[in-house]
Amino acid sequence: MEIILLGYMGSGKSTIARQLSQKLNLEMIDLDDYIATKEQNTISSIFKNKGEIYFRKLEIKALNEILTTKKNYVLALGGGTPCYANNMEAISTHGISIYLKGSIQTLRDRLILEKEHRPLIKDLEDHQLIEFIAKHLFERNPFYEKATHTIKIDEKDSQAIIDEITSNML
Ligand code: S3P
């Protein structure tokens, strides 16, 4: 079984992927970690030294490598992965995709605590976050909404989200 989690930064993709993979006895793959290991570099440093376009090319390549060579995994994408090249089509043909959908306020409350290692938001002032997330989500939602399933994450803990996924979506 191939399960692919997508959603904005701070929606809990990696946490849910880890716990879900344990529950289902599947491999857990985090796309950012996969890229960082291959490049022997951090995502922040790739963004800083090579730029976002370079990162997106690595991301497209890594995604397609995983989708075409691996089986039986829970894959946590990066927040932007579904929105570039034909990534969303590739995702849809290779697995069950699940959009972890958070409200702007929930995402803001989570991201304000952990901006530092996220290159796209680390230089924003706290008061700029809401507007940034609102605009960014507006652009990205059409891609996210193509997922096989959508699950609302506001006010739910990871156990509740995993229960909802395993009982309704697999
Ligand atoms: C990005 C999200 C990040 C990472 C990179 C770009 C994005 O992943 O891939 O910083 O474009 O939203 P997370 O969603 O895991 O933070």
Side-chain angles (χ1 to χ4, degrees), residues 5-167:
L5 302 184
L6 55 101
Y8 201 67
M9 292 177 274
S11 58
K13 300 178 293 289
S14 304
T15 307
I16 302 295
R18 193 174 319 107
Q19 295 179 16
L20 188 61
S21 68
Q22 281 162 4
K23 179 157 181 177
L24 299 174
N25 213 1
L26 296 170
E27 183 184 1
M28 186 275 189
I29 310 171
D30 183 291
L31 186 61
D32 277 348
D33 290 348
Y34 185 92
I35 295 168
T37 304
K38 274 199 90 167
E39 293 300 300
Q40 307 223 314
N41 209 342
T42 63
I43 301 300
S44 296
S45 155
I46 297 170
F47 261 77
K48 185 158 168 258
N49 299 316
K50 308 265 178 122
E52 181 171 353
I53 302 211
Y54 183 85
F55 171 77
R56 296 302 171 194
K57 288 185 183 159
L58 294 178
E59 188 179 42
I60 294 165
K61 191 159 172 274
L63 173 70
N64 284 290
E65 213 167 271
I66 294 166
L67 295 178
T68 54
T69 62
K70 293 201 174 256
K71 281 249 165 246
N72 296 317
Y73 54 76
V74 182
L75 170 63
L77 300 178
T81 319
C83 316
Y84 293 87
N86 63 346
N87 289 352
M88 201 55 221
E89 284 72 22
I91 290 161
S92 304
T93 49
H94 284 93
I96 303 166
S97 53
I98 303 176
Y99 172 23
L100 304 182
K101 182 171 188 168
S103 66
I104 296 165
Q105 192 61 47
T106 296
L107 297 169
R108 180 254 182 212
D109 292 348
R110 292 183 182 192
L111 289 171
I112 210 160
L113 305 171
E114 36 168 284
K115 279 190 329 203
E116 295 319 310
H117 61 277
R118 290 191 155 92
L120 293 178
I121 55 171
K122 74 175 175 38
D123 297 326
L124 295 177
E125 302 290 340
D126 287 353
H127 70 86
Q128 295 176 302
L129 259 182
I130 275 278
E131 198 186 336
F132 179 86
I133 296 168
K135 284 187 180 158
H136 215 189
L137 261 185
F138 182 75
E139 291 165 8
R140 288 181 167 188
N141 254 329
F143 296 93
Y144 294 159
E145 300 282 0
K146 289 184 186 159
T148 324
H149 301 284
T150 295
I151 177 163
K152 291 195 174 156
I153 59 154
D154 294 346
E155 281 140 39
K156 289 179 190 161
D157 63 15
S158 56
Q159 195 51 55
I161 294 169
I162 284 167
D163 288 348
E164 211 172 312
I165 292 175
T166 49
S167 34

